Amino acid sequence: MSDVLEVLNPATEETVATIPAATRDDVDAAVARAAAAQRRWAAAAPADRARLLRRFAAVVDGHIEELALLEVREAGHTIGNARWEAGNVRDLLDFAAGGVERLSGRQIPVAGGIDVTFLEPLGVIGVIAPWNFPMPIAAWGLAPALAAGNAVILKPAETTPLTALRLAELALEAGIPEYLFQVLPGRGTVAGDALVEHPGVAKIVFTGSTRVGKQIMAKCADRVKRVTLELGGKSPNIVFADADLEAAAAAAPMAFLDNTGQDCCARTRILVQRSAYDRFLELLAPGIESVVVGDPADEKTQMGPLISRAQLERVRSYVTDDLTAVRGRAPEGPGFWYPPTLVTDAGPTAPVATEEVFGPVAVVLPFEDEEDAVRLANATEYGLSGSLWTRDIGRALRVSRAVAAGNLSVNSHSSVRYSTPFGGYKQSGLGRELGPDALTAFTETKNVFISTEA
Ligand code: NAD
């Protein structure tokens, strides 16, 4: 019998859809079709490519509510978040469309002629997306890759293929040429692996676990295949005693609970200067206990379920009985529910304090001074994001520069904007996505010298 993916509603455990899983043969056929479509696309006038991408953005804009509701059903995201996610796809397409006609090479002064560089498309790009932000992360690869003249084959996560499939339909509706953007729902170890191994795929853009990211990087090394990796995180939220403690405490809960903590940027290590520790915990605890957890389709809900039973078991395994925690509430009954949880007595080397839990769980740890804060913040194999709260601008800059992470925010928890670069230090990843250079990551630079003396 052929393999199928069963998509469950994580809030109810009901089956939402059953989708045939792509095989290795499906990947071969998709790559051949993509290669032909890419050659035509790269040869089209830049202004026409930009216009089509803008039209794609407009069609997505007309389907925000439909896409958002699909994300609520397949991923359990709150409706407010899901609307933002669909809107982010639109914005990414618009932003990338603006880059098509600005993707210029350079003219470099040399003797005996002129020297110019061209930014040429790579060819067929494989985007392997995770389940935690199925739409935005797919579009982080898709939009700039298409804009730079490539074709894209997207393999969504096993649990969340539906919005990806719908986006492919909307692309065709917008007039994006057939086979330029294909979606292959399938298993990581089958369709994902086939994309990684395929000689016709020029680059892999992967977001997911550090474990799988390392395997993909090793396989790409065999062919010197280009690869961008967005992996895990264990990001610090550093609160200095001189900060606006009320504001820092008000923001801290959703900084690790948003998307039920299934966010590689989740600020799951709350580091608080010892002199303000007790006061900060007093301010923070009610904010965790009062988070509204429940039906993700309800506008008032702040936190929905985890994605799957496997993820629920994984999260549970980190919060062992010997730990003390401040807890919020979660629904009983069907669905993959876990309450907001702040562990208050884990040591800095406990698994819950060092590993990516990917659920609504954070730890709080004291530090003594600035040096100690930076040491604790950097005591991790990860380096994706982080926040720091202080009223001292010199300290804000010093600590931002000293924390080894790709995305820092001061007196806020912002980290992802389509117009600013995003990516990790250390084992959080390789390469950058988004921002002014997003398209360049999907090109090769070719240098051409033309003699004026012949
Ligand atoms: P995963 O890394 O297994 O899956 C991510 C994507 O990679 C999926 O599309 C999957 O099908 C694909 N994949 C899996 N194995 C593959 C392979 N061998 N070759 C090619 N593609 C492959 O992540 P997961 O198992 O869904 O989640 C496990 C943990 O990973 C989570 O608990 C979390 O800690 C972490 N995670 C991090 C992110 C992130 O954004 N950093 C996203 C998802 C998961």
Side-chain angles (χ1 to χ4, degrees), residues 129-132 155 157-158 188 206 209 231 264 311 314 356 358:
W131 44 259
N132 58 329
K155 196 212 77 66
E158 288 85 338
F206 170 81
S209 61
L231 308 175
C264 45
Q311 196 61 20
R314 183 185 151 87
E356 185 175 52
F358 232 55

Side-chain angles (χ1 to χ4, degrees), residues 245-265:
L245 291 183
E246 279 77 11
M254 290 318 287
F256 76 93
L257 298 172
D258 195 45
N259 208 31
T260 320
Q262 302 165 121
D263 181 340
C264 45
C265 292

Side-chain angles (χ1 to χ4, degrees), residues 57-117:
V59 172
V60 170
D61 192 46
H63 292 80
I64 298 280
E65 196 62 16
E66 181 201 330
L67 287 164
L69 288 171
L70 209 49
E71 205 65 296
V72 171
R73 289 177 70 208
E74 76 169 342
H77 290 191
T78 60
I79 182 67
N81 278 14
R83 286 190 189 116
W84 180 89
E85 289 160 37
N88 189 241
V89 178
R90 171 204 55 215
D91 295 343
L92 284 154
L93 288 165
D94 262 332
F95 184 66
V100 177
E101 292 173 278
R102 295 178 176 86
L103 193 60
S104 319
R106 304 165 84 178
Q107 183 264 311
I108 299 165
V110 291
I114 61 167
D115 192 284
V116 286
T117 63

